[in-house]
């Protein structure tokens, strides 16, 4: 009976609409959590998340939803991705990551294109960080990566963050060429969230090859924004960190 039950559940999930999932999510909504999220994700006027709306649902709940409704149709996922609610967009991205990871090359291409056509909705750091290195990085692994350099020149903070975060996929394979080139390209970025992201990726390089990271830092650390440098050297011994911060390397 189990295979039959699974098949019926699969049919039910694939026939679900975005509005059905949204109705189920609203049951999980928590106004107190939502209020805290609006502060945490900087939704005030002039802040990076200005105007974003929250239901107040924790990430583990969204991950459970993503597993339960993994077979929902791709066009319905796109409806979720265009939602005004942050959690619904995050759920959509978790679903896209699952579908991409399990899909064939044709589906992966469709998902990659869907992702890039909706970057205006991937508009906070957690949305970028939970998806870019799972979709953009893997898709470009055996292709031209010029797209990353185009994104790095975007006026959109989030597209620039997608560019650098996508390189985490390459870093984990000890492929450092693009992350170092993009780090240099983004070294003068005006946004603190980019300083953090670039510094984080440089630290990830160091986790795999400290020599490569230190060579890059020796050439460029005096030019790096303070936050970027602090993130990059976070795991260095305290005395060495202080030498970098004092400009004595």
């Amino acid at each position: 009976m189990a295979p039959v039950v699974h098949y019926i559940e699969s049919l039910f999930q694939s026939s679900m609409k975005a509005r059905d999932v949204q109705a189920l999510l609203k049951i999980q909504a928590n106004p107190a959590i939502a209020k805290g999220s609006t502060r945490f994700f900087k939704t005030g006027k002039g802040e990076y998340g200005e105007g974003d709306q929250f239901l107040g649902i924790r990430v583990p709940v969204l991950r459970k939803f993503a597993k339960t409704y993994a077979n929902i149709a791709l066009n319905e996922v796109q409806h979720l991705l265009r939602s005004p609610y942050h959690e619904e967009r995050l759920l959509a991205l978790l679903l896209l990551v699952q579908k991409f990871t399990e899909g064939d090359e044709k589906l992966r291409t469709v998902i990659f294109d869907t992702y890039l056509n909706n970057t205006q909705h991937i508009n906070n750091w957690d949305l970028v960080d939970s998806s870019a290195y799972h979709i953009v990085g893997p898709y470009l692994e055996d292709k031209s990566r010029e797209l990353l350099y185009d994104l790095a020149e975007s006026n959109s903070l989030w597209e620039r963050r997608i560019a650098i975060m996508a390189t985490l996929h390459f870093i984990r394979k000890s492929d450092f060429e693009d992350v170092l080139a993009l780090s240099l390209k983004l070294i003068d970025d005006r946004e603190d969230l980019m300083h953090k992201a670039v510094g984080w990726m440089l630290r990830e390089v160091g986790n795999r090859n400290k020599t490569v990271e230190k060579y890059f830092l020796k050439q460029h650390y005096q030019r790096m924004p303070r936050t970027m440098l602090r993130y990059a050297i976070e795991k260095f011994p305290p005395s060495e960190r202080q030498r970098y911060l004092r400009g004595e390397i």
Side-chain angles (χ1 to χ4, degrees):
M1 288 294 293
V4 175
V5 170
H6 179 74
Y7 175 69
I8 292 172
E9 289 179 345
S10 177
L11 287 177
F12 172 69
Q13 292 172 25
S14 62
S15 66
M16 286 195 77
K17 303 296 184 185
R19 62 176 177 269
D20 300 322
V21 177
Q22 289 168 323
L24 292 169
L25 285 172
K26 282 184 171 59
I27 296 172
Q28 302 287 332
N30 183 316
I33 294 175
K35 185 176 181 180
S37 295
T38 60
R39 293 192 298 270
F40 183 72
F41 287 102
K42 307 295 184 184
T43 64
K45 186 173 178 58
E47 295 182 309
Y48 62 73
E50 181 177 351
D52 205 353
Q53 300 178 53
F54 289 82
L55 293 167
I57 304 174
R58 301 291 192 193
V59 173
V61 175
L62 297 175
R63 292 193 181 280
K64 185 175 180 180
F65 264 73
K67 291 181 179 179
T68 302
Y69 303 109
N71 291 330
I72 187 172
L74 185 56
N75 65 309
E76 297 300 325
V77 177
Q78 290 184 68
H79 286 303
L80 290 172
L81 187 54
R82 294 166 184 168
S83 167
Y85 289 105
H86 188 103
E87 293 94 340
E88 292 179 3
R89 300 198 305 281
L90 179 53
L91 174 58
L93 291 165
L94 295 174
L95 287 163
L96 287 178
V97 167
Q98 285 184 180
K99 290 178 180 294
F100 183 91
T101 302
E102 298 168 2
D104 58 18
E105 187 63 21
K106 182 177 179 180
L107 179 58
R108 285 159 68 98
T109 298
V110 170
I111 291 171
F112 175 78
D113 290 342
T114 298
Y115 189 90
L116 289 182
N117 289 333
N118 286 276
T119 55
Q120 69 269 36
H121 306 295
I122 308 170
N123 57 350
N124 216 308
W125 58 265
D126 64 319
L127 304 179
V128 172
D129 296 0
S130 63
S131 58
Y133 79 93
H134 289 297
I135 294 175
V136 180
Y139 185 79
L140 296 179
E141 181 175 349
D142 58 354
K143 302 175 182 66
S144 169
R145 300 175 188 176
E146 283 304 309
L147 170 70
L148 298 181
Y149 297 85
D150 293 339
L151 290 173
E153 293 182 352
S154 172
N155 290 327
S156 165
L157 160 62
W158 309 119
E159 289 189 347
R160 299 198 306 276
R161 187 158 176 128
I162 287 170
I164 193 66
M165 289 306 303
T167 66
L168 182 55
H169 175 77
F170 311 139
I171 293 168
R172 289 180 171 178
K173 294 177 176 291
S174 295
D175 177 355
F176 307 131
E177 181 178 353
D178 292 293
V179 66
L180 297 178
L182 287 165
S183 293
L184 184 57
K185 190 177 186 68
L186 293 164
I187 201 167
D188 295 319
D189 198 282
R190 63 189 179 276
E191 297 287 350
D192 189 62
L193 280 174
M194 289 304 302
H195 303 166
K196 292 176 179 178
V198 172
W200 173 15
M201 291 303 100
L202 290 172
R203 186 174 73 238
E204 290 291 335
V205 170
N207 288 342
R208 288 153 183 84
N209 191 318
K210 190 70 75 177
T211 300
V212 171
E213 183 191 9
K214 286 188 175 183
Y215 183 77
F216 181 90
L217 290 176
K218 185 174 182 179
Q219 292 179 304
H220 305 294
Y221 84 97
Q222 291 183 319
R223 179 181 162 193
M224 292 167 68
R226 204 69 163 177
T227 297
M228 187 184 296
L229 178 60
R230 286 185 181 278
Y231 269 63
I233 63 175
E234 183 178 299
K235 293 188 178 180
F236 286 18
S239 60
E240 189 174 11
R241 286 203 307 270
Q242 288 305 313
R243 285 168 45 215
Y244 272 101
L245 294 172
R246 290 195 300 264
E248 296 174 353
I249 298 296

